[in-house]
Amino acid sequence: MSAARYSDYAKDASGWFLGMTGAQLALVTLAGVPALLALNAQAWGLFVLWLPMWALLAAVLLVPVRGRSAGRWLVDLFMHAMGALMGWTVFGSRAASGKAENLAEADLPGVLAGIRTHDGPPFGQLFTRPVIVQNCAARTWAAVASITHPGIGLAEPDERNRMGAGLAELCELAARTELVDVLALQVRTVPDDGTERAAWERAHTRADAAPLATRINALLGATLTPAAVRTEAFVTVVVGEARMSRAARESGGGVDGRARVLHGVMAEVEAALRGAVGCTAVTWLDSAALAAAVRTGFAPDERGQLIAADLAAAAGAQLTTGVPMAAAGPSHARTEVRHYAHDAWASVTDTVLLPDSGAVLGALAPVLVPTVAGERRCLTVFLAPMPLDRATRLVGREEMSATTGNELRARMGFRQRARQRRDTERIGAADEKLAAGRALVRPAVAACVTVPATWPVAEHGRRLDASIRAAGYVPLRLDLAQDSGFAAAAVPLGVGLPDRRSRR
């Protein structure tokens, strides 16, 4: 394993006062006003009656239950029931109903409904035309690259540490551009369909081959192919409209102006990926390649048919290859409470919470290992570099909150616990690194397992939880938001996790 253990991280948000946000503090204070008035008026009956109600309300607002407070759970359950009643949790594509007019227009469910794709101007020395992904709902623009990396499984500790430092340099580079909102690194472990092997066998089979060798080769193929997997990796660079609007106007405006701004960011990110990160190939996807990546995200078994069509066309067959963007999404999809059903598949998505003890580079590898043949695993890491001024304010607020909490505990006679001391030290270390010019990055991780809809999806969801725990992390199921979680974990379009952070 890697010699370096990374543990220099802290809570995303500590709250203004003893971990409470401003809204929580205001609600708890207002709920306690009747008790204070009753105490001031010496109305002991009313005081005794209201005090348990105040404590119950505070518990509903503050105590987290699987990442959300009880009050938030009630609101989310109501919203999910309302969506199911109105039919918002069920999706049917226009292509499946025969109503698709523009085959180049994306037709995707849920949080992906605002996605639009554009062919940008030529990019790079080969004058390729990477597709520009516009998210109208989030007001962002993105570009997607397929990458090839040798992996770190057989790398020496020093080499792993260099790759980890290269990833940190990539995040700092993204922060220095003052354009990048999110860098999304996605890895998909897909069951191997054996299409390339079958094509190679057809091209190299000899008529005079020994019958025994032919039977052994067929037996090995039938035995090993169902258990084989292949790995796909993508990098998505997401730039917000608010950050790039001025630069886009200077570059000509419109989609082409935004594409030129993205091209500059893409060139810097590609140089960093090919450098210290260690990628051997970085290919920015065009419209056809992105449509195939989205389609195989929703339907893993579609890859074999797409590859077979490409191989047949290369051999001279007259047939249509690829998939239009209008048909890249699922024909039918349905959002359940604890899983997401799309066509003939079902998926379960977990978020991954960082452990307090820290983690080594590559510790999430067990999450990508399927437990049975035919299971697809996906893992996406979102790295959101923060601007320096915002990071400085955030660290200062956390330092003030930690200092206030420590002083109050000392005045009340409570000892400072080890976890509290460690959090205080981490905040101080983050302040020192910010002063030295390092970047503050907000990470998020989503893991997803996809199986045929006829399989027991709940059991495979439990196996995903077990894999995350075996890696040393803590799983948190995205109940009531499985469609958004699936889009974040399995579809490389730059759509992140729901913007709701725990206050634990």
Side-chain angles (χ1 to χ4, degrees):
M1 297 298 292
S2 175
R5 178 171 289 271
Y6 301 93
S7 60
D8 192 9
Y9 47 79
K11 294 180 181 179
D12 186 13
S14 297
W16 288 96
F17 182 76
L18 296 179
M20 291 185 289
T21 64
Q24 289 174 334
L25 179 61
L27 290 174
V28 172
T29 302
L30 290 176
V33 168
L36 295 177
L37 294 177
L39 180 64
N40 184 55
Q42 297 183 356
W44 305 114
L46 180 61
F47 177 77
V48 173
L49 180 64
W50 184 256
L51 196 59
M53 298 178 61
W54 184 21
L56 178 61
L57 180 61
V60 168
L61 292 174
L62 302 178
V63 177
V65 180
R66 296 186 61 84
R68 284 176 256 185
S69 64
R72 175 56 64 182
W73 272 111
L74 293 175
V75 173
D76 291 346
L77 283 170
F78 174 77
M79 296 298 293
H80 186 273
M82 181 64 68
L85 182 64
M86 300 295 294
W88 298 336
T89 58
V90 179
F91 169 81
S93 68
R94 292 191 294 267
S97 60
K99 299 180 181 178
E101 299 179 355
N102 184 6
L103 295 181
E105 182 179 351
D107 182 22
L108 300 174
V111 294
L112 300 176
I115 294 294
R116 300 293 181 268
T117 58
H118 311 276
D119 290 327
F123 168 73
Q125 297 178 350
L126 299 179
F127 295 100
T128 58
R129 300 189 66 184
V131 62
I132 306 302
V133 181
Q134 179 187 9
N135 190 336
C136 300
R139 301 185 72 247
T140 60
W141 301 79
V144 186
S146 173
I147 63 173
T148 302
H149 193 277
I152 62 175
L154 300 177
E156 297 295 331
D158 291 342
E159 186 177 358
R160 291 191 182 191
N161 293 338
R162 285 195 298 270
M163 291 181 182
L167 184 59
E169 292 175 5
L170 174 62
C171 295
E172 292 174 4
L173 171 67
R176 287 195 296 269
T177 63
E178 297 184 352
L179 291 172
V180 177
D181 278 354
V182 176
L183 283 174
L185 311 177
Q186 183 175 116
V187 181
R188 302 196 302 207
T189 303
V190 186
D192 193 357
D193 47 60
T195 304
E196 290 92 339
R197 184 177 186 273
W200 187 91
E201 286 182 346
R202 288 193 299 268
H204 294 83
T205 299
R206 297 176 53 178
D208 58 346
L212 179 59
T214 301
R215 287 198 300 269
I216 292 175
N217 183 69
L219 180 61
L220 288 174
T223 304
L224 298 179
T225 299
V229 297
R230 66 172 56 247
T231 301
E232 303 171 344
F234 302 94
V235 172
T236 306
V237 182
V238 183
V239 178
E241 172 67 24
R243 294 191 181 190
M244 71 183 310
S245 57
R246 180 176 179 181
R249 287 195 300 269
E250 296 173 353
S251 299
V255 175
D256 286 351
R258 286 159 177 80
R260 294 186 184 99
V261 176
L262 264 176
H263 286 176
V265 178
M266 290 157 54
E268 295 185 55
V269 171
E270 180 176 349
L273 290 172
R274 292 181 181 272
V277 176
C279 293
T280 57
V282 179
T283 305
W284 297 98
L285 303 184
D286 57 11
S287 296
L290 181 64
V294 173
R295 182 57 189 163
T296 54
F298 282 99
D301 62 339
E302 292 286 338
R303 181 188 176 277
Q305 302 176 26
L306 296 174
I307 295 298
D310 291 338
L311 293 174
Q318 299 296 324
L319 49 81
T320 302
T321 61
V323 58
M325 184 59 73
S331 300
H332 302 279
R334 185 179 68 258
T335 304
E336 302 291 349
V337 175
R338 304 210 74 193
H339 73 273
Y340 181 55
H342 44 99
D343 288 339
W345 302 85
S347 299
V348 174
T349 305
D350 286 349
T351 50
V352 181
L353 304 182
L354 295 172
D356 291 335
S357 59
V360 297
L361 190 65
L364 283 170
V367 181
L368 290 169
V369 179
T371 56
V372 295
E375 185 181 82
R376 199 270 303 272
R377 294 287 184 96
C378 300
L379 180 72
T380 304
V381 180
F382 299 93
L383 303 171
M386 301 180 63
L388 180 59
D389 54 348
R390 184 179 175 187
T392 302
R393 291 196 303 269
L394 177 62
V395 172
R397 186 169 70 242
E398 290 181 348
E399 187 174 8
M400 180 181 66
S401 178
T403 302
T404 303
N406 292 336
E407 290 181 355
L408 285 177
R409 294 186 190 96
R411 289 178 179 273
M412 297 173 65
F414 294 105
R415 294 181 57 186
Q416 191 178 22
R417 306 294 299 273
R419 183 189 296 271
Q420 296 160 357
R421 289 195 301 270
R422 186 169 53 196
D423 291 342
T424 304
E425 293 172 358
R426 286 175 178 174
I427 294 173
D431 193 20
E432 292 290 338
K433 291 185 177 182
L434 280 177
R438 306 302 293 269
L440 184 64
V441 179
R442 174 180 287 128
V445 183
C448 174
V449 58
T450 301
V451 296
T454 55
W455 291 14
V457 62
E459 172 62 24
H460 289 274
R462 286 190 290 270
R463 293 181 182 182
L464 177 63
D465 296 344
S467 298
I468 295 173
R469 286 191 293 267
Y473 294 79
V474 180
L476 182 61
R477 185 74 58 87
L478 281 177
D479 294 332
L480 307 176
Q482 284 291 310
D483 56 340
S484 301
F486 174 82
V491 184
L493 289 176
V495 175
L497 293 170
D499 188 16
R500 181 175 298 158
R501 298 183 291 276
S502 172
R503 299 293 178 178
R504 290 187 298 174

